[in-house]
Amino acid sequence: MKKKLVVVMLIMIIAIGGIGAGIIFLLNGSDEAKAEKEPTADEVVKASVEIPEIITNLKSEGNAVKLVLNIETDSEKAKEELEKRSFQVKDAVIDILSDTNADELDGKKGREHFKTLVKNKVNNYLQDGKVKEVYITSFNLQ
């Protein structure tokens, strides 16, 4: 009886140790994978395009916005294409803003929604890559 109890306890200790080691391995492995995938600042700059200042009226009466965007792509090839399509990006931004009220752009949530709309619309134009992120580098709502 004692031998069975000792064997069961050893099996449980080994199993708990194995599960713990597995969890530690998974957690450490995912951190390393994330660290490897993060681009450096130089890589971000090489794949980014600045969209110069855009000033346009909003849907809400008497409101206007002035902003500057920086769009990060997933490759240098996508960046080159985006530079050639900058007029389409400006048109898309003006289109989105002309259908947006001032209160929809107010606050972080509103600007995040706007950036998502721009990202999705610009991605429809691109053939050689995708937009990873849209940054608002200057924003003035009047």
Side-chain angles (χ1 to χ4, degrees), residues 1-2 5 20 25 36 41 49 75 81 98 116 126 131 133:
M1 185 76 164
K2 271 189 167 182
L5 186 62
F25 176 75
E36 289 176 20
V49 176
S75 67
E81 181 183 3
S98 69
T116 300
L126 295 180
V131 171
E133 192 67 49

Side-chain angles (χ1 to χ4, degrees), residues 67-70 111-112 114-115 134-139:
L67 56 82
V68 177
L69 299 175
N70 200 311
R111 285 190 298 275
E112 288 299 321
F114 166 73
K115 292 191 301 187
V134 174
Y135 301 98
I136 299 174
T137 57
S138 177
F139 182 83

Side-chain angles (χ1 to χ4, degrees), residues 100-132:
T100 303
N101 290 313
D103 61 333
E104 293 175 292
L105 288 174
D106 197 26
K108 183 178 179 177
K109 200 173 196 177
R111 285 190 298 275
E112 288 299 321
H113 179 68
F114 166 73
K115 292 191 301 187
T116 300
L117 292 173
V118 171
K119 178 181 176 180
N120 292 340
K121 193 147 188 175
V122 173
N123 273 334
N124 288 333
Y125 297 135
L126 295 180
Q127 298 173 355
D128 290 330
K130 292 289 178 197
V131 171
K132 284 177 66 176

Side-chain angles (χ1 to χ4, degrees), residues 37-94:
K37 292 181 182 178
E38 284 297 316
T40 66
D42 289 336
E43 290 170 337
V44 170
V45 169
K46 283 182 182 177
S48 295
V49 176
E50 182 179 73
I51 305 301
E53 186 174 81
I54 297 172
I55 302 171
T56 190
N57 293 326
L58 297 175
K59 182 179 180 181
S60 51
E61 194 73 26
N63 292 112
V65 67
K66 177 170 67 169
L67 56 82
V68 177
L69 299 175
N70 200 311
I71 300 177
E72 179 187 354
T73 63
D74 61 357
S75 67
E76 287 187 50
K77 197 169 186 177
K79 174 191 175 180
E80 291 172 15
E81 181 183 3
L82 186 60
E83 288 172 336
K84 293 175 186 174
R85 294 179 179 273
S86 65
F87 67 96
Q88 289 176 308
V89 173
K90 286 182 180 182
D91 180 65
V93 169
I94 292 169

